[in-house]
Amino acid sequence: MMASRFRVFAAKLSGMFGRRKADHEFDDEMRLHLQLLTERFIRQGMRPEEAASAARRQFGNTTLLQQGQREMRSIMSLSNLGRDLRFSVRQLRRNPTLALVAITSLALGIGANTAIFAVAKKVLLDTLPVKDPKQLRMLTWVAGHDQKVPLVWGDASSNASGDHISSSFSYPVFEELRKQSDAFQYLFAFKDVQMTAAVDGQPDLVSAEFVSGDTFNALGVQPILGRPLTAADDTDSSSGPVAVISEAYWAAHFARSSSALGKTISLNGIPTTIVGIAPGSFTGLQIDTVTQVFVPLVMQPLLLPRPQNSSASLLNNPQSWWLLVMARLRPDVPEVRAQARLDAILRQAAAAGMPDGKAPTQFHLQFQSGDRGLDYLKDAFARPSYMLLSLSGLVLLLACVNLANLLLARVATREREVSTRLALGAGRAHIVRQMLTESLLLSSLGGTAGLLVGYLGRNLIPHLLAKSWSPETIQLDFDGRVIAFTVGISLATGILFGLAPAWQATRTNVNSGLKDTAHATYSRQKIGLGKGLVIFQIALSAILLIGAGLFVRTLVNLNHTPLGFRPDNILLFRLAPPKTRYTGPQSTALYRQLEEKLAAIPGVRSVSLSTIAIVGDGYSGSTFHVSGRPIIEGERRVQMNIVGTDFLSTLGISIMRGRSFNTHDTYTSPKVAVVNQTLARKYFPNQDPLGQTFENEDADGPIQIVGIAADTRYANLRSPTPPLFYLPYLQHPDNVGRMVVELRTFAEPAGIVNQARAAVASLDPNLPLIEVRTMTQQIDSSLSNERIFARLTAGFGLLALLLASIGIYGIMSYTVARRTSEIGIRMALGARTDQVLSMVLREVSWMALAGVAIGIGGALWLGRFLSAMLYGLKPSDPLTLITAAALLAIIALLAALGPARRASRIDPIRALRHE
């Protein structure tokens, strides 16, 4: 029976094709039957005309027979769909303007959502491109707020209860945990760092990862060339340092040549042999960073020595917690059991790393999801992603309402057509299906165009986020999930916003619809629905415009924030002398020589250095304890910047009292510091800071305050100035490593970059200039999030204005056309042109006022979610609200002016004669 049904289905499916040939064959067959019947009736004595008529009566309705035969040989649902689609295409070709407006508005709305979803997917949904990422767990520890914790090189934070949280572990602890192989499939460790890499004598800064030997095997990552790092690389270093490089690094520096295997590159001055090429899909264990070089973990003392406790190795130092540890769970071991097993081992192994040397009591291990690896991206951009998705959703909703309004107006002009079809026996379900087909066709075309718009604009946000002096690190995948999202919202748009016009079409009164005049079917209810949609459009536009105004004004306020220094004509670049070749005193000597060479370049006004380039370069905290005062446990840290002698004058930071640093502040002279005004007010509220001394964890002995500098913005433009002190780098050689060089020039600083590069190369040709930029560029980069929101919301606001004006123009044109006879009567009874014009504009005015009022209410309610992202104003900012309302009112009146002028020029005689 199933076979029989399948044969019938296959026959009907094949009947969908070759339909014209089958129709001709059936027509020929019917003509043959009619001819035979006619001949039989003639033989019975009828005349030919009577015989032909009798044959047709006996044979039946040929049209119905043809339709029945089509139903028998094909699947009618598919056949009807094809017919509806062909009819919809003809309708769109008859109304190209409506089709173009609808498709364009949907393309922009769907395209914006597609591009932003691609970004949000990267921020919120993407996982590491490895085998079974959901089985991965990141290990973290939580310590009570009273528990002394080890020294951490990495991230450390506190939760709402004040407990300490970190994901860094010491190498000895990692070794102890790794022995518990019955609790997991793999336990592996890594550490993201930066190194100086030189290929054929060309130095460059690269993103690198120290990884344990079984990392590649644990992740299921196989090189496209060569071999991965293995467990043997953790123990056997007889063959010398080895590395696996990324596919991108291989392509950029070795032109994808297989001869790269076995070649030697210099990492921090150490010759390292390339043994493998990682696949392009694998970019490391940090989801927002493209790792270029992978090296064995045991190479840390050689490649990146960090002197601590008289040893450069962190591998045998239980007091340095620096490794990130991940586990791949075993399917046969419950996660809770594995966590409990490792938790017990951690508390035993951690005792040697505690500051007091005692076994911790409030110290526990926790598993966190590891499918995204080390994930800074979600913490930084999750909230902005949700906000952008919401704003783009409003734009799409606005485009959809615009589509519904256009379709409603289109349905009104097709009342006679729909009435005729209903009178001829068409079912209302068929009318609804036809209208939904037209709506789905429009949304599908808009979705296809939107997918193209989204693809072209997919890298806009990563480009805006990227720093102008460094390559983009966020790589977006335009994969099946993005396409599925676009298809989904396209279909949902066509169905949801095609229902109202389809339902409206079925409510057509057949008798009135068949009258010769279309004006007889004027319905206030139909026009009211269209006006309601316009009011909704205006409300959405008001919300988007107010949001755009708030973000644009936030950016303007931040750009006008007093900096406390002069950012113009300052060139910045970073140097990172590898510790394999430069100790603290050697780095100090290098920087002194460099200052002299850079100062000699024509066009350079002054030169200095600092560990932190203020505004946009991060933090550098340290302790600050005023001499003679009691030590307070858990005292908050303050900001510290180790700088060159001319740092304050180079940046234009004023000395309010005392003095700045000078050439007499050397390693052998008394230690001195300059503090900012905020620190002076906080720690010396009722006494003079000058001459006071303090102790600091980074210096031996007391440090005397010799000057008070003006406050400046420090980490960013939003945060208030923190307490900060400056130390001269010449007095603290052990703390000198990576430094930022600041050059103030007489003219445009970009013109001396090559000379600065030559000056550095003359001292060390393997020392690259890192992150070359101007101070102005760095400050602009610190505002990248604000700039993205300002630009995108401004674009959304302009698009909202355009769509709202289209909606207003369309509904008022329709209203005027439907009220032609009414307006003609008014004018025949003495109404003036200006009165008719005012009547139409009054209708638009109340729609605009209603929409703006609703929109302002909605914006105020939504504003509470935006307040943390604003600066210098509140969500209820009067100037923004008034400006948005006025702009919308003006646009509404301008959009309605054309239909209003047409209404005022109606000839009453022609209008009444037509009626």
Side-chain angles (χ1 to χ4, degrees):
M1 187 173 180
M2 289 296 297
S4 175
R5 289 181 178 178
F6 178 77
R7 284 194 297 271
V8 171
F9 176 78
K12 288 193 172 188
L13 188 63
S14 62
M16 298 291 298
F17 308 97
R19 177 177 172 179
R20 183 172 299 179
K21 179 181 179 182
D23 285 346
H24 286 315
E25 291 176 351
F26 190 69
D27 286 342
D28 292 341
E29 186 176 351
M30 286 192 298
R31 279 194 296 271
L32 176 60
H33 280 285
L34 284 170
Q35 183 180 351
L36 292 174
L37 280 173
T38 302
E39 290 176 356
R40 190 178 73 179
F41 287 136
I42 291 174
R43 286 195 299 269
Q44 292 176 358
M46 292 185 181
R47 290 185 310 219
E49 296 83 6
E50 292 176 348
S53 178
R56 286 194 297 270
R57 285 196 303 270
Q58 181 172 329
F59 190 76
N61 191 319
T62 56
T63 303
L64 289 178
L65 289 172
Q66 180 73 279
Q67 181 65 25
Q69 198 269 347
R70 287 173 183 166
E71 293 178 2
M72 291 178 60
R73 72 167 186 259
S74 63
I75 302 173
M76 285 309 298
S77 58
L78 294 179
S79 179
N80 290 336
L81 177 61
R83 185 175 65 248
D84 289 343
L85 279 174
R86 289 191 295 272
F87 184 78
S88 299
V89 170
R90 289 198 299 270
Q91 289 296 320
L92 295 185
R93 292 177 64 182
R94 289 175 58 188
N95 298 274
T97 303
L98 180 143
L100 182 61
V101 170
I103 292 171
T104 302
S105 59
L106 285 176
L108 294 174
I110 293 174
N113 278 267
T114 299
I116 290 175
F117 176 78
V119 176
K121 182 179 70 71
K122 178 71 174 181
V123 173
L124 304 172
L125 303 177
D126 279 359
T127 59
L128 294 174
V130 300
K131 178 184 177 182
D132 298 328
K134 294 298 182 182
Q135 292 183 355
L136 298 176
R137 295 294 182 270
M138 178 76 74
L139 274 61
T140 61
W141 52 261
V142 180
H145 61 276
D146 296 328
Q147 174 70 54
K148 293 184 180 297
V149 295
L151 179 65
V152 170
W153 172 25
D155 292 330
S157 59
S158 299
N159 59 20
S161 303
D163 297 334
H164 306 287
I165 302 174
S166 179
S167 53
S168 296
F169 296 83
S170 68
Y171 190 81
V173 167
F174 166 64
E175 288 281 80
E176 290 299 317
L177 294 175
R178 186 157 59 167
K179 294 176 182 177
Q180 310 304 312
S181 58
D182 59 339
F184 45 79
Q185 290 188 67
Y186 296 97
L187 195 77
F188 56 97
F190 68 99
K191 180 64 179 179
D192 56 300
V193 295
Q194 289 186 319
M195 296 185 187
T196 299
V199 179
D200 297 330
Q202 297 298 318
D204 194 13
L205 187 74
V206 298
S207 297
E209 279 184 1
F210 285 113
V211 296
S212 57
D214 54 354
T215 298
F216 280 81
N217 193 27
L219 296 174
V221 175
Q222 293 298 319
I224 57 177
L225 203 63
R227 70 169 179 88
L229 300 178
T230 64
D233 294 312
D234 279 341
T235 55
D236 183 13
S237 58
S238 58
S239 59
V242 296
V244 171
I245 62 174
S246 70
E247 185 180 21
Y249 193 80
W250 176 47
H253 293 83
F254 298 98
R256 307 181 70 87
S257 171
S258 59
S259 63
L261 288 180
K263 280 198 172 182
T264 298
I265 61 174
S266 173
L267 292 179
N268 282 352
I270 303 299
T272 305
T273 303
I274 299 173
V275 297
I277 314 295
S281 60
F282 180 65
T283 57
L285 286 158
Q286 188 171 340
I287 200 164
D288 61 338
T289 299
V290 178
T291 302
Q292 298 162 289
V293 179
F294 303 88
V295 293
L297 198 58
V298 294
M299 296 298 173
Q300 175 270 319
L302 183 64
L303 297 177
L304 198 70
R306 287 178 66 90
Q308 187 176 348
N309 297 340
S310 69
S311 173
S313 174
L314 300 179
L315 304 180
N316 55 10
N317 187 346
Q319 295 183 346
S320 183
W321 290 48
W322 60 291
L323 278 180
L324 298 161
V325 180
M326 295 183 69
R328 180 177 287 280
L329 299 177
R330 288 179 55 169
D332 58 336
V333 178
E335 182 175 343
V336 175
R337 177 181 162 191
Q339 179 176 314
R341 182 67 180 273
L342 294 181
D343 180 45
I345 301 300
L346 172 65
R347 287 199 299 274
Q348 297 173 12
M354 296 296 149
D356 54 8
K358 298 179 181 179
T361 56
Q362 304 177 47
F363 200 81
H364 298 281
L365 182 138
Q366 289 185 352
F367 281 171
Q368 303 290 338
S369 174
D371 59 347
R372 292 172 60 85
L374 182 59
D375 186 10
Y376 295 125
L377 200 61
K378 183 178 288 188
D379 293 338
F381 296 109
R383 180 167 181 164
S385 295
Y386 287 125
M387 190 65 63
L388 286 176
L389 281 173
S390 301
L391 291 172
S392 62
L394 288 178
V395 173
L396 179 59
L397 182 59
L398 190 60
C400 293
V401 173
N402 198 56
L403 172 64
N405 222 344
L406 290 172
L407 292 177
L408 275 173
R410 175 66 183 146
V411 165
T413 63
R414 294 171 62 183
E415 285 186 3
R416 185 175 179 82
E417 171 205 330
V418 173
S419 297
T420 302
R421 295 172 69 180
L422 289 172
L424 292 175
R428 295 187 183 273
H430 176 76
I431 301 298
V432 170
R433 188 186 68 209
Q434 177 62 55
M435 295 298 175
L436 282 178
T437 301
E438 292 182 25
S439 174
L440 281 169
L441 180 60
L442 280 172
S443 67
S444 299
L445 293 173
T448 303
L451 188 64
L452 178 61
V453 171
Y455 180 79
L456 295 176
R458 70 193 185 283
N459 290 321
L460 174 62
I461 293 179
H463 177 72
L464 293 174
L465 282 173
K467 297 176 179 178
S468 59
W469 58 88
S470 61
E472 297 178 10
T473 58
I474 299 178
Q475 296 183 338
L476 300 182
D477 298 320
F478 209 81
D479 57 14
R481 283 182 293 179
V482 178
I483 297 174
F485 171 81
T486 305
V487 171
I489 61 175
S490 299
L491 293 177
T493 295
I495 294 173
L496 294 177
F497 292 90
L499 283 175
W503 174 74
Q504 190 71 52
T506 63
R507 301 185 68 213
T508 298
N509 186 294
V510 177
N511 292 329
S512 61
L514 290 174
K515 290 182 180 180
D516 186 55
T517 173
H519 304 289
T521 61
Y522 164 71
S523 168
R524 292 187 180 276
Q525 184 178 5
K526 294 179 182 179
I527 293 182
L529 179 59
K531 289 181 178 179
L533 290 176
V534 168
I535 291 172
F536 187 53
Q537 278 185 289
I538 294 174
L540 290 177
S541 301
I543 292 173
L544 289 169
L545 275 178
I546 291 170
L550 292 174
F551 284 119
V552 168
R553 291 201 62 205
T554 290
L555 182 62
V556 171
N557 290 344
L558 287 169
N559 278 323
H560 288 83
T561 299
L563 299 175
F565 64 94
R566 302 195 316 274
D568 56 298
N569 291 347
I570 296 179
L571 179 69
L572 305 174
F573 60 85
R574 193 185 303 277
L575 294 178
K579 292 184 180 296
T580 55
R581 294 188 290 120
Y582 289 92
T583 62
Q586 289 174 320
S587 294
T588 302
L590 170 70
Y591 286 129
R592 288 193 66 178
Q593 296 177 58
L594 181 61
E595 283 188 282
E596 294 174 359
K597 285 185 173 291
L598 293 175
I601 296 176
V604 173
R605 177 176 293 178
S606 62
V607 181
S608 192
L609 306 101
S610 63
T611 52
I612 297 293
I614 58 178
V615 184
D617 197 39
Y619 299 87
S620 179
S622 186
T623 58
F624 184 90
H625 174 249
V626 180
S627 302
R629 295 183 185 176
I631 297 177
I632 302 174
E633 188 69 27
E635 191 171 23
R636 292 182 66 85
R637 298 165 71 86
V638 302
Q639 296 303 307
M640 174 188 72
N641 204 352
I642 299 177
V643 302
T645 302
D646 298 325
F647 175 79
L648 298 175
S649 60
T650 298
L651 267 71
I653 301 174
S654 303
I655 292 291
M656 310 308 292
R657 293 183 57 209
R659 69 172 179 87
S660 182
F661 304 123
N662 57 42
T663 55
H664 300 294
D665 298 320
T666 63
Y667 180 67
T668 57
S669 65
K671 302 296 187 291
V672 296
V674 173
V675 302
N676 70 350
Q677 293 171 295
T678 300
L679 187 145
R681 286 192 298 267
K682 179 177 180 179
Y683 288 90
F684 306 97
N686 299 313
Q687 57 186 136
D688 188 358
L690 296 180
Q692 300 286 339
T693 60
F694 65 92
E695 286 85 31
N696 169 259
E697 64 185 3
D698 295 305
D700 297 327
I703 302 173
Q704 185 180 44
I705 299 174
V706 297
I708 301 174
D711 282 342
T712 67
R713 295 291 173 172
Y714 191 64
N716 54 61
L717 297 180
R718 285 180 174 268
S719 304
T721 303
L724 166 69
F725 64 89
Y726 304 95
L727 300 177
Y729 81 90
L730 293 176
Q731 292 190 334
H732 303 273
D734 292 336
N735 295 319
V736 174
R738 292 163 54 95
M739 298 285 280
V740 177
V741 180
E742 293 100 359
L743 288 82
R744 180 172 288 280
T745 62
F746 289 101
E748 177 60 37
I752 64 166
V753 172
N754 291 334
Q755 293 167 282
R757 202 182 302 274
V760 173
S762 68
L763 298 174
D764 187 342
N766 292 319
L767 199 59
L769 272 66
I770 306 168
E771 299 173 356
V772 181
R773 74 275 190 195
T774 65
M775 177 64 80
T776 302
Q777 287 176 321
Q778 176 167 290
I779 295 172
D780 288 343
S781 177
S782 71
L783 298 176
S784 59
N785 284 357
E786 288 81 2
R787 189 171 292 106
I788 286 174
F789 272 94
R791 290 179 177 179
L792 290 181
T793 54
F796 291 163
L798 291 175
L799 181 58
L801 282 177
L802 176 62
L803 294 176
S805 62
I806 291 173
I808 293 169
Y809 180 86
I811 192 63
M812 294 314 298
S813 296
Y814 168 60
T815 301
V816 168
R818 308 300 287 176
R819 298 176 62 183
T820 299
S821 59
E822 175 200 339
I823 295 172
I825 293 173
R826 288 176 180 270
M827 298 189 73
L829 294 176
R832 299 190 307 273
T833 298
D834 60 322
Q835 290 176 321
V836 174
L837 187 69
S838 299
M839 178 186 69
V840 177
L841 293 181
R842 273 198 305 270
E843 286 191 51
V844 176
S845 298
W846 76 256
M847 285 193 294
L849 289 175
V852 166
I854 296 171
I856 289 177
L860 291 176
W861 182 79
L862 293 172
R864 55 183 178 168
F865 303 108
L866 299 178
S867 56
M869 305 177 71
L870 304 180
Y871 180 81
L873 73 166
K874 296 180 179 180
S876 57
D877 178 59
L879 179 60
T880 303
L881 297 180
I882 293 172
T883 302
L887 185 58
L888 266 173
I890 293 171
I891 293 297
L893 291 174
L894 289 176
L897 190 59
R901 294 181 65 183
R902 284 200 300 273
S904 67
R905 295 174 180 175
I906 289 176
D907 184 350
I909 297 177
R910 293 181 60 186
L912 294 175
R913 181 183 298 121
H914 186 67
E915 182 65 23

